[in-house]
């Protein structure tokens, strides 16, 4: 284990029900991250998406990937939300969904830094369940001082 939920909460400003990373299992500063989200039937979005066939909304899969990107960015530059910084999701390109994410799945989130310049980070991302591709996307995040 590289980061547990307590350390993740130091590096992400998100809280329930929008904190979508449960654990980080691999992290190479400035290069890549592997994390996961345990998807439970108790997630609030399953009440309406869809009651008789629950699937995790695709936008939340992308958000989970972006949160993993944010952790990698924060850890790389050694900054924290408590210091007044935030990573905004500013673009998601080439997003493709291959299969739905269901309750009981462990969603593995992988992000690799493609490039960074003046606080703008581009990542190549993929999400998998049981080694099967769920989603792939190119995600851009921007580091900003907010406080």
């Amino acid at each position: 284990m590289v980061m547990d939920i307590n350390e993740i909460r130091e590096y992400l400003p998100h809280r329930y029900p929008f904190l979508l990373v449960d654990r980080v299992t691999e992290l190479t500063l400035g290069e890549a991250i592997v994390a996961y989200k345990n998807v439970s039937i108790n997630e609030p979005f399953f009440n309406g998406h869809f009651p008789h066939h629950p699937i995790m909304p695709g936008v939340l899969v992308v958000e989970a990937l972006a949160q993993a990107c944010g952790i990698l960015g924060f850890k790389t530059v050694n900054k924290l939300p408590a210091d007044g910084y935030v990573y905004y999701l500013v673009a998601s390109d080439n997003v493709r969904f291959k299969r739905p994410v269901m309750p009981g799945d462990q969603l593995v989130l992988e992000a690799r830094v493609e490039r960074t310049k003046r606080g703008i980070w581009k990542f190549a991302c993929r999400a998998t369940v049981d080694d099967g591709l769920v989603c792939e996307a190119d995600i851009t995040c921007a580091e900003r001082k907010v406080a």
Side-chain angles (χ1 to χ4, degrees):
M1 175 180 60
V2 174
M3 291 175 71
D4 67 10
I5 192 63
N6 295 314
E7 189 176 0
I8 289 167
R9 288 169 50 100
E10 293 177 29
Y11 284 89
L12 287 178
H14 308 80
R15 293 299 178 260
Y16 177 84
F18 222 70
L19 180 57
L20 300 174
V21 178
D22 291 327
R23 181 156 294 165
V24 174
T25 57
E26 298 175 34
L27 191 143
T28 304
L29 296 178
E31 292 182 25
I33 188 170
V34 178
Y36 66 79
K37 159 92 179 121
N38 290 315
V39 181
S40 166
I41 190 61
N42 295 322
E43 308 285 351
F45 50 79
F46 285 133
N47 288 328
H49 200 265
F50 302 99
H52 301 299
H53 181 66
I55 63 169
M56 184 175 184
V59 295
L60 293 182
V61 174
V62 172
E63 174 64 25
L65 286 166
Q67 289 182 20
C69 293
I71 293 169
L72 177 56
F74 273 129
K75 290 285 281 188
T76 297
V77 298
N78 197 28
K79 294 179 182 175
L80 294 168
D83 299 327
Y85 291 91
V86 69
Y87 275 82
Y88 289 123
L89 170 60
V90 296
S92 54
D93 298 301
N94 304 313
V95 178
R96 297 288 181 266
F97 297 100
K98 303 298 184 178
R99 69 171 281 275
V101 177
M102 316 285 272
D105 286 345
Q106 184 175 75
L107 184 64
V108 177
L109 310 164
E110 302 172 33
R112 187 181 73 252
V113 175
E114 294 286 295
R115 64 184 168 278
T116 180
K117 186 175 182 180
R118 292 185 305 223
I120 305 294
W121 295 71
K122 291 203 78 153
F123 300 90
C125 302
R126 50 187 273 123
T128 60
V129 171
D130 296 329
D131 294 321
L133 185 63
V134 167
C135 175
E136 54 191 352
D138 298 322
I139 291 180
T140 305
C141 296
E143 174 193 316
R144 294 294 180 257
K145 179 89 168 142
V146 293

